[in-house]
Amino acid sequence: MSEPTDFTAILAHWASKQPEAIAMTFGASNWTWAELAGRVHRNAAAQRSAGLVPGDRIAVLDLNHPSCLELTLACAQVGTANAVVNFRLAPPEIVYVINDAKARLLFVGPEFAGVVETLRSQLPTVERVIRIGGADDEYEAWLAAQAPDTSAYEAAPSDCFVQLYTSGTTGFPKGAMLTHRGMLAHSRNVSASQDFGPHSRVQVAMPLFHVGGTSYSLIAISAGARTYMMRLPDPAAALAMLETEKITHTFYVPALMAVMNQVPGAADRDFSALKAVSYGASPMPLPVMRASLKLFPGVMQQVYGMTEQCGVVSLLGPNDHVDPAAAHRLVSAGKAISGVEIEIRDPATGQPVATGEAGEIWVRSEQIMGGYWGKPEATAATITPDGWLRSGDGGHMDGEGYIYVTDRIKDMIISGGENIYPAEIERVLAEHPWLQDVAVIGVPDERWGEVPKAVVVAVPGATIDADQLLAWCRERLASFKCPKTVDVMAELPRNPTGKILKKDLRKPYWAGRERQVV
């Protein structure tokens, strides 16, 4: 295959080379590569029939469903872009994303049809709502009404065809415009490190509104692999699928893996077909790591990345997970993958810092987004003129090139002039047998400006003794790093990718103050 420049060429290649091979499995349904291509061609025809032109946006609000990928691939063919909406958002947030994208068509799953009906008057750019699945399905008729259209818009490598929204941990979500060049580079770079190919069987358990869902699916499509899509990331069902379908590749977030380790009979299943179990999007507590290494021996791969880079930028491979001489690397994010440059820069000056010194993680690669949709100032603040993306993550790099992610730069606590990274404290607390979940935030202090506070969730049946927890920290951390107080909660607020919403935890303590830590 000559080097493709867009995903329309990739789909055409596999539909020609292996037309009868299964491309997609969803529940009891299968689609061959020829069938998938035919559906995408009808989808493209339907978009054009609706009057959509290159540069227009559609939006999808649904749990995982193959139609979302069909729409994305059709957008690649037409020159439009699919803005995939986070289905866990509150109604006002859903309205914000759809309106920000200026979506002309909205595709909605049965679970969200009622919500969209109540919001319909607040979506002025949406010309038509099309229901997917359920008793009122309109999507299949929408496709069937069109003859397949194989003509393709001559997409530039820099054209956006899928728009994923950042989590909004620091404000309103921003639409990252992900391009053909970026997604192709991501697929190529990740495939090089994880041995994807036409014989791979790829489980997609993560939501398609996240790069762990959509970008991971596009890796599989690029490789000609068979995709097994899950509607929701159900731990027991995911484990069963790994065994029965002989899955070779999958990606999970640590919060899901924590539950997987508790599924009865998980350790008795046969996962021998697995080549790579990738995990990322949030830190992996060491107790969960140890249990997962027993469940999935020899195949665990930590990935670190960001929506703005189409997904993965660094990887900690299986050997680094089991080397007793390098146990400290379990808290690292590994090394930059092929095709990616990573440097640690001073967040104030933008200059590189010395090896081992803390700073902001900067990334440069062809995977980079085209920018934030409709937000040139935010784009300019994130992407430098020479192509570096400022991640907003704090960290350092050791002499061997291993990257250690500490926190979001804005999560850093400055106490009496000392920089304190909450992740360092969280790793210590996560080892305590009483604790199921933990977050550390900075709260106001009259003497030090701000000091660390631990917010914890107890394991079932445990009673938290704050003094004992603080003593645990004092034995393991410098005194200035130790939390000064402990709050106990039933659960910590998280966004859909599993990241703890520290801004929500901090808000009550900083309300009404001139200085806000967000």
Side-chain angles (χ1 to χ4, degrees), residues 329-373:
R329 288 183 187 151
L330 287 178
V331 296
S332 85
K335 295 181 176 182
I337 63 172
S338 171
V340 174
E341 299 174 77
I342 298 179
E343 291 186 358
I344 310 299
R345 303 281 189 102
D346 184 310
T349 67
Q351 294 301 307
V353 301
T355 299
E357 189 175 322
E360 183 180 13
I361 297 169
W362 287 32
V363 182
R364 184 163 65 179
S365 78
E366 285 192 337
Q367 298 177 191
I368 195 167
M369 66 175 178
Y372 293 119
W373 167 254

Side-chain angles (χ1 to χ4, degrees), residues 200-248:
S200 300
R201 302 163 77 88
V202 182
Q203 181 190 67
V204 175
M206 292 296 99
L208 293 173
F209 62 73
H210 183 256
V211 286
T214 283
S215 295
Y216 202 64
S217 298
L218 291 176
I219 295 172
I221 288 170
S222 295
R226 181 173 177 174
T227 299
Y228 292 79
M229 184 179 292
M230 300 189 68
R231 185 126 175 97
L232 281 169
D234 176 83
L239 288 171
M241 179 185 283
L242 293 183
E243 180 179 40
T244 59
E245 301 295 346
K246 302 188 185 308
I247 297 297
T248 60

Side-chain angles (χ1 to χ4, degrees), residues 57-61 75 81-85 97 101 103 161-165:
R57 265 58 179 164
I58 64 169
V60 174
L61 176 62
C75 284
N82 184 6
V84 189
V85 184
V97 169
F161 70 104
V162 60
Q163 188 160 298
L164 300 184
Y165 277 75

Side-chain angles (χ1 to χ4, degrees), residues 56-69:
D56 282 343
R57 265 58 179 164
I58 64 169
V60 174
L61 176 62
D62 193 8
L63 304 179
N64 280 6
H65 191 275
S67 59
C68 185
L69 276 184

Side-chain angles (χ1 to χ4, degrees), residues 431-497:
E431 291 289 297
H432 197 286
W434 292 346
L435 301 185
Q436 178 172 289
D437 212 354
V438 59
V440 173
I441 59 172
V443 297
D445 183 82
E446 294 303 321
R447 180 177 181 184
W448 303 111
E450 58 180 325
V451 294
K453 171 188 280 289
V455 185
V456 302
V457 177
V459 298
T463 301
I464 300 296
D465 182 325
D467 290 339
Q468 203 279 341
L469 282 183
L470 297 177
W472 171 277
C473 291
R474 284 192 292 270
E475 292 172 7
R476 293 163 175 81
L477 292 167
S479 60
F480 74 90
K481 296 181 182 179
C482 292
K484 303 301 182 281
T485 53
V486 177
D487 284 356
V488 181
M489 296 181 69
E491 63 178 356
L492 298 181
R494 292 180 179 271
N495 74 9
T497 64

